[in-house]
Amino acid sequence: MDRTEDVRLAVYRTFARTGRAPETGELADRFDMREDDVKERLKILADDRHLVLDERGDIVMAHPFASVNLGFSVMSEATLWWGGCAWDSFAVPHLVPDASPCLVATTCPACGQPHAFVVHRDEPPAGEQVAHFLVPAAHIWDDVVHTCRNQRIFCSDECVDDWLLASGNERGYVMSLETLWELASEWYAGRLDRGYQRREPAAAADYFRSVGLRGPFWGLD
């Protein structure tokens, strides 16, 4: 029996069902393991980029879910989640059974204007807002929490420019809500199933092309 995969599934399915991360003791009781053994398996999962842990070893993210506020809330009829970023928040209704539609709420980082979108599986939400991703794909995991904090939705391209000027950051990649929805729609497919494998770089590049992304920001020609 693959206990590391058991722990991964338990983390993801608990997030999907309840909107929260399971405690280490909860996982230890569930699998009749010592807490140190659970922590070791969480560390393995983090090293394999299935989880993000803080300095204490607690779960911060299990994409598309987060245990802390990174700028997005996602609400279905039954569950409230923190969304890890714009990408992850739009992915939740695609991944979680019976979660569609979800209400995704956030604020513009430039002007503070609140935004809310009803996100379905079958079509993107309407709106003139744009998503700005600051960190290029090749560097997402250099500091993944920083990356996710900076995948945000803005009122307009003008608000993106205002935020870049105020923050001193360089422009990343701007996309429409439709492209954001396409990117999120199948990216995490299968993540709640046993044996899920993350995409290899070539497969990820093919996926990015398939949803209309272009250029060196995504590692594409």
Side-chain angles (χ1 to χ4, degrees):
M1 181 180 296
D2 185 347
R3 282 301 178 87
T4 301
E5 177 65 358
D6 289 341
V7 171
R8 187 195 72 81
L9 275 176
V11 170
Y12 273 88
R13 290 177 177 177
T14 299
F15 259 124
R17 186 179 69 255
T18 70
R20 66 170 184 84
E23 301 289 341
T24 302
E26 180 182 344
L27 292 168
D29 290 344
R30 176 169 179 175
F31 296 113
D32 193 24
M33 298 166 61
R34 294 184 300 115
E35 287 197 32
D36 285 347
D37 291 336
V38 171
K39 290 178 180 179
E40 179 60 29
R41 283 166 170 76
L42 293 176
K43 177 65 165 57
I44 291 169
L45 291 167
D47 289 344
D48 290 340
R49 298 182 176 179
H50 290 290
L51 302 177
V52 180
L53 307 178
D54 64 16
E55 63 278 1
R56 299 185 304 275
D58 294 330
I59 299 166
V60 176
M61 302 183 73
H63 296 287
F65 311 112
S67 64
V68 297
N69 181 3
L70 295 174
F72 290 86
S73 62
V74 183
M75 185 176 66
S76 71
E77 288 188 358
T79 309
L80 177 64
W81 299 271
W82 291 123
C85 56
W87 184 351
D88 286 351
S89 297
F90 273 43
V92 170
H94 294 279
L95 176 64
V96 179
D98 303 320
S100 178
C102 280
L103 180 66
V104 175
T106 188
T107 57
C108 175
C111 70
Q113 176 70 27
H115 297 292
F117 309 94
V118 178
V119 182
H120 297 262
R121 285 196 182 115
D122 53 352
E123 62 181 355
E128 299 300 320
Q129 295 90 342
V130 297
H132 176 261
F133 285 25
L134 180 65
V135 180
H139 296 286
I140 283 175
W141 283 89
D142 292 356
D143 181 344
V144 70
V145 174
H146 169 77
T147 296
C148 290
R149 285 189 189 278
N150 289 284
Q151 293 180 354
R152 299 294 301 272
I153 292 176
F154 291 76
C155 301
S156 63
D157 205 62
E158 289 75 17
C159 269
V160 173
D161 290 338
D162 290 345
W163 180 79
L164 292 172
L165 182 63
S167 65
N169 288 302
E170 295 185 4
R171 191 177 184 87
Y173 192 94
V174 176
M175 67 185 78
S176 67
L177 294 181
E178 181 177 359
T179 300
L180 176 65
W181 182 89
E182 292 283 358
L183 173 62
S185 61
E186 296 295 331
W187 181 251
Y188 295 119
R191 186 154 281 198
L192 298 180
D193 301 330
R194 182 171 293 278
Y196 171 83
Q197 297 293 320
R198 298 178 71 251
R199 286 182 177 82
E200 295 297 328
D206 287 342
Y207 182 85
F208 294 153
R209 289 189 191 94
S210 75
V211 301
L213 301 178
R214 299 288 184 270
F217 186 95
W218 297 100
L220 305 174
D221 297 333

